Amino acid sequence: MATPQELKDLFTHSLRLLTEKRVEEWIDLFAEDGVLEFPYPTYGVPSRMQGREALLAQMTMFRKELKVEFSEPEFYAAGDGLVVAGFTGECTLLATGGQYHQTYLSVVRFEQGRIALYRDFWNPWLVMEAAGGELGWKEILPTLARG
């Protein structure tokens, strides 16, 4: 079982990988059947992805369409395979150049050194505003999905 500090380090490393757009390496942190959940997804984004193939499909769009600089996480809990962390992101939606400041709360369950469940709470309205509002988001979404 990983120590609380090892869990914190793993989580911090995962954010660094996303900032650097190293999506495949980020996905490698997951168990084969690992789950990424967005309890409050934006229109057109699945609320639950399971398995590395589904993660790659979603996160490829992330890599191509978002530029994000994450802050250092603040940890609220770390131990017994669980991490609860808050952090922020300075984000740019590349399709429109729209910028926004996002606050995240992530609850991550590790099993055998891999992410079994990554539940990511964020405000989907902010990315839609960066696209020009809900209608703007719905207009560019097909373009984003094609990559």
Side-chain angles (χ1 to χ4, degrees), residues 84-100:
V84 179
F87 53 100
T88 61
E90 298 303 324
C91 311
T92 303
L93 181 60
L94 298 177
T96 64
Q99 298 180 339
Y100 60 100

Side-chain angles (χ1 to χ4, degrees), residues 25-93:
E25 292 175 69
W26 183 78
I27 293 169
D28 285 343
L29 298 175
F30 281 76
E32 287 294 324
D33 62 346
V35 173
L36 173 61
E37 287 184 351
F38 300 130
Y40 308 111
T42 188
Y43 174 85
V45 174
S47 62
R48 186 175 198 273
M49 293 139 280
Q50 184 169 6
R52 292 182 177 177
E53 187 174 311
L55 291 169
L56 184 59
Q58 179 62 36
M59 297 310 289
T60 296
M61 185 172 79
F62 174 94
R63 174 178 52 209
K64 290 179 180 178
E65 300 301 337
L66 285 175
K67 179 182 175 197
V68 180
E69 292 289 329
F70 293 117
S71 68
E72 285 295 315
E74 179 180 352
F75 293 97
Y76 303 110
D80 294 327
L82 181 71
V83 169
V84 179
F87 53 100
T88 61
E90 298 303 324
C91 311
T92 303
L93 181 60

